[in-house]
Amino acid sequence: MATPDEPVTERIVVAVDASAASRLALELAADLAAALGTRLTGLYVEEEGLLHAAGLPFVRSIGAQSGRPTPFTPDALERQWRALASRARDTLAQIAHARRLDWSFEVTRGPAGDVLRAAARGARLMGLGFGERPSAVMAQAALRLVGIPLLLAPSRHPAGGRWVAVVDTAEDARGVLALAGSLAPLADPPVLLMTRSMQAACQDARQRLAPSLACVQLPEPGDLQAVIAALRGCAARGVIVSARSPLGQPPLLDRLLAGDNWAVLRVSSAGSEPTEA
């Protein structure tokens, strides 16, 4: 039920458009919201910079059918925004109703980074599609968010059915374990992938935060091919990983999303912002 005027204590927020990746982000986020008992909120961002660009006299729009350039005005952009937001809202409503989730939908205009940071306050996690039509501005703004897990969805459904948490670095290891442990109520609970050294280093945290989750041992030092093979062996739907891990940063992050179409839940604690690529 959409009740946007009520105060929100905890929610999952998904920045939406009308792309396939955005729909998958909503579906994944809805499953997480059902497991975590949170509301699902769709956020359509009207990027202020695009509106300013549309007012420039030399900007043109290329027709999909005719291939002809035509003037592209702020009015035309706002009409396009309204149409896309309406489609995204309908998609959110359909997905939320199928899972009997409380939901809301917001349209906000402003710089992408400012809008996402404001929306992230009080949210359990933030999500967006990262597929065939990503907004470069939106994607970069999302990757700079700290203190909140970030859900990134590819444009195609992965073959697997469970989340797999890769604990390969001490930074944010507790955050990864905590998030994986909170998803234990899922029909297919997450699996942990850990090297022997990380199992030893995180033994207490694992027992406290994710005691019921099975653990698969990665070889030392845990190279990419070993991780990919383990993820496939676990029938992964998505990967939970620290933003400080090489897997949480480009180009390996892109490999997870585009190679096997795995979604990514990227954990970044406040005060530990990863190095920018």
Side-chain angles (χ1 to χ4, degrees), residues 62-68:
I62 306 298
Q65 300 297 326
S66 67
R68 296 177 180 175

Side-chain angles (χ1 to χ4, degrees), residues 94-236:
Q94 178 187 30
I95 290 170
H97 285 157
R99 294 161 177 81
R100 299 186 177 182
L101 293 173
D102 287 338
W103 64 279
S104 59
F105 188 82
E106 303 169 4
V107 178
T108 305
R109 181 175 298 181
D114 293 347
V115 173
L116 293 183
R117 280 191 296 273
R121 298 190 189 104
R124 184 66 179 270
L125 62 86
M126 174 74 72
L128 77 160
F130 207 81
E132 73 275 10
R133 295 192 307 166
S135 161
V137 174
M138 190 73 66
Q140 289 304 313
L143 289 173
R144 291 190 182 99
L145 291 174
V146 295
I148 182 172
L150 177 63
L151 169 65
L152 301 171
S155 57
R156 291 184 293 170
H157 283 267
R162 68 168 76 243
W163 288 95
V164 179
V166 179
V167 186
D168 60 350
T169 179
E171 288 86 0
D172 293 330
R174 284 176 174 77
V176 172
L177 289 168
L179 181 55
S182 71
L183 300 180
L186 289 170
D188 288 319
V191 170
L192 305 177
L193 293 184
M194 306 176 72
T195 62
R196 185 183 297 273
S197 61
M198 287 307 302
Q199 288 183 51
C202 299
Q203 182 176 1
D204 291 343
R206 179 189 166 197
Q207 290 301 317
R208 186 174 69 256
L209 300 171
S212 66
L213 300 186
C215 184
V216 175
Q217 184 173 308
L218 284 173
E220 304 280 359
D223 63 85
L224 177 62
Q225 291 307 313
V227 174
I228 295 297
L231 290 170
R232 291 173 179 165
C234 292

